[in-house]
Amino acid sequence: ANHAGRFLVEARYNIQWSPIDIGLQYSMMTAEIKEPNSYEIEGGPFSDGSFNYNGMVGAFIDFNGWSGGGYSTMYAGMGIGYYLGRFVMAPESGAKKVREGDNGVFLAPRAGVELFEHLRISVEYRYCFNAAPSTIGFTIGWAFGGQMLPRF
């Protein structure tokens, strides 16, 4: 895919007096397929200009507490969830049609840093079981109600 975009929201709960937090995440993503015949589902391959749209729900657990000094904390975690995919195919004729896509489970390791108690920067890899393409993503987010966690 050459072009992709993702929107996500995650509710997290910091377990008091612990370096562990848990979260529930919902995300939506779209990606344009630029390599003809590189991805195939039942009924034939995609052609150049096809799009993949999906929604994902996942549960995450993160370990916080690697202090970077000052107002930063590094974290690493793992998520598991379910995705629903839809595909808009662009056949050679130029006519577009919608096709049901893949549904299945994903596994998502991630790591990042939280700065100034609110700003979160992370990298995440989503391995999608089944036939959907796996992705790597970089995110910048804002944590509402954040606070410095105890160091362990």
Side-chain angles (χ1 to χ4, degrees), residues 6 8 10-12 20-27 56-63 75-83 104-111 120 122-129 134-135:
R6 181 172 79 163
L8 69 87
E10 180 175 345
R12 291 186 311 117
I20 303 294
D21 66 50
I22 55 176
L24 189 60
Q25 183 186 96
Y26 173 75
S27 67
M56 299 181 177
V57 166
F60 284 81
I61 184 166
D62 292 321
F63 176 83
Y75 62 92
M78 179 67 72
I80 188 167
Y82 191 77
Y83 63 90
V105 175
F106 70 86
L107 198 59
R110 68 180 179 182
R120 288 176 62 95
S122 64
V123 61
E124 176 183 304
Y125 177 73
R126 289 193 185 208
Y127 177 79
C128 296
F129 297 92
S134 297
T135 61

Side-chain angles (χ1 to χ4, degrees), residues 5 8 18 22 35 45 59 61-62 65 80-81 86 88 94 99 101 126 130 141-142:
L8 69 87
S18 167
I22 55 176
E35 300 170 13
I61 184 166
D62 292 321
I80 188 167
R86 297 289 182 265
V88 177
R99 176 172 303 219
R126 289 193 185 208
N130 218 2
W142 189 261

Side-chain angles (χ1 to χ4, degrees), residues 20-41:
I20 303 294
D21 66 50
I22 55 176
L24 189 60
Q25 183 186 96
Y26 173 75
S27 67
M28 296 180 297
M29 185 180 81
T30 182
E32 181 181 11
I33 298 170
K34 291 298 255 180
E35 300 170 13
N37 304 319
S38 64
Y39 180 63
E40 202 169 312
I41 62 171

Side-chain angles (χ1 to χ4, degrees), residues 33 39-44 46 51-55 82-89 97-105 128-133:
I33 298 170
Y39 180 63
E40 202 169 312
I41 62 171
E42 184 179 327
F46 284 92
F51 282 87
N52 166 15
Y53 299 94
N54 65 47
Y82 191 77
Y83 63 90
L84 299 168
R86 297 289 182 265
F87 301 93
V88 177
M89 299 179 67
K97 63 180 178 176
V98 175
R99 176 172 303 219
E100 292 296 316
D102 299 311
N103 301 328
V105 175
C128 296
F129 297 92
N130 218 2

